[in-house]
Amino acid sequence: MAEPEREPLDAVVIGAGPAGLFAAWSLATGGARVALLEAGGDMRQSLCPKVSVRMRGRTVRAAEKFRLQCNRCDCLTGLGGAAFHFDTNLGYVSGLSQSKIENDGRGGFRTYSGLERTLGDFGRAAASVQEVYRLMYRFGLQPPRAAEHHAAGCGTVPANAVPSSFALADDALSQAVTVDDALGMVDGLLDDALGHGLRLHLRTRAESVSRLDDGGWLVRTADAEFRARNVVVAVGKLGLGWVRGLLDQNAVAYRPSGRVDVGVRLETTRELAAPLTASCQNPKFTFLNEGGEAVRTFCVCEGGRIMQYAFQDTVVLDGQHCLTTPTERTNFGIVTSVEVPPGGDGTQHALDFGRRATTAGRGLPVVQPLIELLGRGSCADRPGTSLVRVCWTDLNPVLGPRRVADIAAMVDRLEEVAPGLVGPRTVVAAPVVERLFPAIELSGDMESSAPGLYFVGDCSSKIIGVTYGASTGLAAAAAVLRG
């Protein structure tokens, strides 16, 4: 094992997804001595080992059509993280909106932004998102043309445009980005950071993070050690188990998550879903169920596909935008922010949900026609789905009556917007799980109760998403630079 350097680094960043990349760039260009550790390889190398990708300079032909045929995608590591390995939607171009709701305890609801709560102030959160976009445009992302967004506005959909049964409908302006665009942008950001002294270590997995006697930190990999005054943990969902161990080993203050998102992905024809995406690319519709839990649409992928990947001992679904090779289908999540009873653990609740689906599907996603799930009819022929290997079976035992009721209430509301959605051409696929990490106690700068140890992006337990993740990376970096 290589000897650690005599002079500690200012910071080690673990994980090169959006949060880690922006944190490392900000630290390096701010004059810090920083190392970025990424378990995967270069972005081009990690796109997909099963497809021959043609390269022309910085342009890579879209591979997601082939990659999504994998039974379980296992190439979600690498520069850019899972976020930039597919065409995706970044969100919030014109301004941050409060697109989430929760029970206010008085029979009503309140709206909020996850990033607002994470950073402690709405103005700060909105400014941070704008800074992320400014940097993305600087490094090669092309600003959107108004026509690409169906002349959408920013904020909430006019009250007369959606059924009154929704507590909130949000059509905040979004920005799409293709894999080709992301490659160029990541190249530009990394070139600038490397030019300012960033030490990039690919195919280097952090095995442990421990406190040193002098108050600094020691990060161990299989063949090296890094001493640093600060550590920024920026691993994605796949790092859940490792992060839970890290928290316990370093006595970081946290509690079991009390709220977790579980649900399904609904897939139908692009034609039937068109009214839902007429105002913007990723509309968000939300209501409170009878238990006061928020039920919402999530990650609308117009002309997209559903992908599956291995997570812990389960299979998990996600939606993918296919901007360069669109399909004739649209899919989106329907998730419930489940309030876990006192003494419960949201992480365990979500994993158990995923395991029920994986068991029912014998290792494959479980798919069922929507009308059969709701008991409103049967399909002589199975509806089409972008998933290739699935198990067609009854989802009721997997979801349970409360989640089925949430899905029914959501699609009945959406039926008023998109007539025909509840019909023989719509399928439901499970499982979908989000926001799995324990509730870590963090400052508005993303610092944990262990001084100098920061958690950003997905693993912060506070937010998910590209722009949100990048914003938290910038916040942590700014705190480290202030010393």
Side-chain angles (χ1 to χ4, degrees):
M1 178 179 292
E3 289 293 325
E5 298 183 49
R6 292 185 179 276
E7 180 67 23
L9 297 166
D10 295 304
V12 170
V13 179
I14 303 173
L21 282 172
F22 276 79
W25 171 86
S26 184
L27 288 163
T29 57
R33 298 174 67 247
V34 57
L36 174 59
L37 314 184
E38 167 53 46
D42 179 84
M43 190 171 169
R44 290 169 178 78
Q45 296 171 350
S46 60
L47 281 174
C48 183
K50 295 185 177 181
V51 65
S52 176
V53 184
R54 293 168 52 195
M55 297 185 181
R56 294 182 180 177
R58 289 185 175 179
T59 300
V60 176
R61 293 298 181 185
E64 75 273 13
K65 177 179 180 180
F66 304 96
R67 179 177 183 178
L68 297 182
Q69 310 311 307
C70 298
N71 179 22
R72 295 195 189 181
C73 184
D74 60 359
C75 36
L76 296 179
T77 58
L79 283 175
F84 287 136
H85 279 61
F86 303 93
D87 294 349
T88 192
N89 192 291
L90 302 176
Y92 305 120
V93 174
S94 297
L96 186 65
S97 66
Q98 295 174 311
S99 62
K100 291 186 173 57
I101 66 171
E102 64 183 2
N103 191 333
D104 66 4
R106 301 187 300 272
F109 66 90
R110 53 178 164 255
T111 62
Y112 68 96
S113 160
L115 188 61
E116 168 192 15
R117 290 190 169 175
T118 300
L119 299 183
D121 176 78
F122 185 82
R124 182 189 181 197
S128 181
V129 168
Q130 290 304 298
E131 174 65 6
V132 169
Y133 270 112
R134 185 187 69 80
L135 292 171
M136 287 183 174
Y137 296 146
R138 171 183 167 185
F139 292 120
L141 181 64
Q142 295 300 309
R145 297 188 300 270
E148 294 174 348
H149 297 278
H150 314 293
C154 175
T156 56
V157 178
N160 61 359
V162 295
S164 59
S165 52
F166 285 112
L168 182 70
D170 183 280
D171 70 342
L173 195 63
S174 293
Q175 161 104 32
V177 57
T178 66
V179 177
D180 292 355
D181 293 336
L183 280 165
M185 182 177 64
V186 170
D187 281 349
L189 184 147
L190 270 178
D191 286 347
D192 194 37
L194 292 169
H196 283 83
L198 173 68
R199 306 174 188 198
L200 176 62
H201 299 267
L202 297 177
R203 304 196 183 282
T204 303
R205 185 179 298 275
E207 295 185 345
S208 66
V209 178
S210 56
R211 174 71 81 183
L212 294 169
D213 291 339
D214 63 4
W217 295 92
L218 180 66
V219 179
R220 287 190 174 93
T221 70
D223 55 5
E225 292 183 345
F226 299 84
R227 284 191 303 147
R229 296 184 180 90
N230 303 275
V231 174
V232 180
V233 181
V235 299
K237 184 189 292 183
L238 298 183
L240 171 63
W242 182 80
V243 167
R244 293 173 84 178
L246 173 64
L247 296 173
D248 290 333
Q249 291 159 15
N250 291 284
V252 175
Y254 75 94
R255 63 185 184 280
S257 58
R259 180 184 294 174
V260 66
D261 289 350
V262 300
V264 299
R265 291 205 76 85
L266 183 146
E267 186 172 44
T268 191
T269 67
R270 194 172 181 180
E271 178 185 10
L272 278 176
L276 299 177
T277 55
S279 64
C280 74
Q281 293 170 321
N282 186 25
K284 305 172 186 70
F285 298 92
T286 314
F287 66 92
L288 295 179
N289 65 16
E290 292 184 357
E293 298 166 321
V295 183
R296 61 191 175 91
T297 59
F298 170 73
C299 183
V300 177
C301 300
E302 181 183 12
R305 296 181 178 85
I306 304 177
M307 69 165 288
Q308 55 179 299
Y309 60 94
F311 175 69
Q312 302 270 310
D313 54 356
T314 72
V315 58
V316 174
L317 302 180
D318 203 349
Q320 293 303 326
H321 303 268
C322 299
L323 304 172
T324 50
T325 54
T327 72
E328 292 304 315
R329 299 186 179 93
T330 290
N331 73 85
F332 55 91
I334 298 177
V335 297
T336 301
S337 294
V338 176
E339 302 288 347
V340 181
D345 184 341
T347 302
Q348 194 60 47
H349 180 94
L351 290 175
D352 289 345
F353 178 80
R355 287 167 182 150
R356 285 200 304 275
T358 302
T359 299
R362 298 185 293 279
L364 298 174
V366 180
V367 178
Q368 185 176 22
L370 174 63
I371 58 174
E372 293 184 2
L373 170 70
L374 302 181
R376 301 180 185 178
S378 60
C379 295
D381 298 310
R382 290 172 176 168
T385 175
S386 57
L387 286 164
V388 176
R389 297 187 63 199
V390 299
C391 178
W392 291 86
T393 191
D394 184 12
L395 267 168
N396 276 276
V398 172
L399 300 174
R402 287 187 293 179
R403 299 293 78 84
V404 173
D406 289 343
I407 294 166
M410 173 61 79
V411 297
D412 284 343
R413 287 167 167 83
L414 292 177
E415 177 77 11
E416 297 183 50
V417 182
L421 183 69
V422 183
R425 290 189 287 175
T426 302
V427 300
V428 178
V432 172
V433 293
E434 297 288 349
R435 306 175 195 278
L436 292 162
F437 282 89
I440 308 171
E441 292 184 14
L442 298 176
S443 72
D445 293 323
M446 314 309 294
E447 188 173 21
S448 71
S449 62
L453 182 60
Y454 298 77
F455 293 84
V456 299
D458 283 14
C459 72
S460 71
S461 74
K462 312 300 180 187
I463 54 90
I464 59 175
V466 176
T467 51
Y468 278 15
S471 293
T472 59
L474 291 178
V480 170
L481 291 171
R482 287 195 300 268

